[in-house]
Amino acid sequence: MPGRDELVRYCNGLLDTGSFRDYCPNGLQVEGRRNVARIVSGVTASQALIEAAVEQQADLLLVHHGYFWKGEDACITGIKRQRLKSLLEHGINLLAYHLPLDAHPKLGNNACLARRFGLEVQGWFGDGQGPELACETTLDQPVTAAQLGAQIGLALGREAQHIDAGPVQVRRIGWCSGAAQGYLEAAARRGLDAFISGEISEPTVHIAREYGIHYFAAGHHASERYGVQALGEHLADYFGIEHFFIDIDNPV
Ligand SMILES: [Zn+2]
């Protein structure tokens, strides 16, 4: 059974956390017990996920969305107090990886999406400001936007919202998990025919129409279920410990 510190050190190295400028701390956010035999993973460290982890007698909760986001109220009140109280009372470590888990070339959300969509990662790009988190590919055989939408829906178990504004034949496709609708303009400027992310905002529709690019909002939660699972499974194999993924459904 690995010590918590050894496991955290290994993870931080694997995900190269030092090279990201993020909106939250990456790594151990809440310290719990010293040894880890059982990991529970989930997308967001909500109260429901914490309670499920308590029920599973987890030593460590691994998430993509943890706490202590830039600009949030620093006071330990309300639901933040309740979440921290539950973790601390049960000695559960909270390990959170945000951007490093989007970006990892094997275990990351976007690499996992590529496998689920059946697309090959041929390159990475960003919006020119932050890290290069989005992936792109060029298909050998073009598909229609409707075919691509069906493929996405099948892969994520959820119908994607499609802004039908691009060409009839789709050949160049980009994707980035979560709330990466802000990358749409960069995707269009690269000449992509379609871009897939989790969320959509009002301006996204106009950007898609004016650049002539398809946009698919596949679900923030749905598109970020796979990185933590891949990392949790990797840790279970590497350290010979248990791992369970718990999906707390979220329609957004
Ligand atoms: Zn996210």
Side-chain angles (χ1 to χ4, degrees):
M1 191 193 312
R4 169 237 303 143
D5 295 342
E6 182 194 353
L7 188 146
V8 171
R9 245 193 325 271
Y10 172 78
C11 262
N12 289 350
L14 181 69
L15 297 178
D16 193 18
T17 52
S19 68
F20 288 86
R21 274 180 55 207
D22 210 333
Y23 321 99
C24 64
N26 283 292
L28 186 65
Q29 292 192 337
V30 179
E31 189 177 293
R33 63 182 69 99
R34 216 178 274 273
N35 291 310
V36 178
R38 182 174 290 181
I39 297 174
V40 160
S41 67
V43 178
T44 300
S46 62
Q47 189 65 35
L49 182 64
I50 295 167
E51 283 167 17
V54 168
E55 202 169 308
Q56 292 293 326
Q57 298 182 303
D59 303 307
L60 185 144
L61 181 57
L62 172 67
V63 295
H64 182 51
H65 302 138
Y67 306 148
F68 315 120
W69 299 89
K70 206 179 196 169
E72 88 175 24
D73 185 350
C75 298
I76 311 295
T77 56
I79 64 169
K80 191 189 215 175
R81 169 194 172 268
Q82 187 53 51
R83 289 168 169 188
L84 290 171
K85 181 171 182 276
S86 301
L87 286 168
L88 292 167
E89 264 178 10
H90 293 92
I92 298 176
N93 294 285
L94 179 67
L95 188 57
Y97 293 103
H98 185 233
L99 298 184
L101 191 58
D102 291 320
H104 192 273
K106 273 217 175 79
L107 305 172
N109 281 316
N110 291 316
C112 291
L113 282 182
R115 288 195 288 276
R116 295 197 75 81
F117 293 156
L119 300 173
E120 186 197 349
V121 179
Q122 293 173 343
W124 295 79
F125 67 97
D127 59 1
Q129 284 157 42
E132 300 198 331
L133 299 174
C135 298
E136 68 173 74
T137 201
T138 302
L139 302 175
D140 294 334
Q141 293 296 327
V143 294
T144 66
Q147 283 169 330
L148 179 61
Q151 204 174 325
I152 297 165
L154 205 64
L156 300 183
R158 174 192 188 281
E159 197 183 332
Q161 186 177 359
H162 176 203
I163 306 306
D164 188 358
V168 177
Q169 298 286 313
V170 174
R171 203 175 188 110
R172 294 189 63 198
I173 303 167
W175 63 95
C176 188
S177 70
Q181 62 269 53
Y183 280 42
L184 179 59
E185 193 158 355
R189 286 178 188 273
R190 298 176 76 75
L192 303 188
D193 303 318
F195 186 67
I196 309 157
S197 186
E199 291 193 29
I200 185 162
S201 319
E202 195 273 347
T204 316
V205 178
H206 304 293
I207 294 168
R209 286 178 183 160
E210 288 170 38
Y211 277 103
I213 181 171
H214 293 285
Y215 184 73
F216 293 92
H220 188 141
H221 175 89
S223 65
E224 296 196 325
R225 276 192 296 236
Y226 304 100
V228 277
Q229 287 187 68
L231 178 59
E233 279 161 31
H234 173 83
L235 293 173
D237 282 351
Y238 186 85
F239 288 107
I241 57 178
E242 290 181 302
H243 163 249
F244 307 99
F245 171 74
I246 295 179
D247 196 26
I248 305 291
D249 183 49
N250 184 333
V252 173

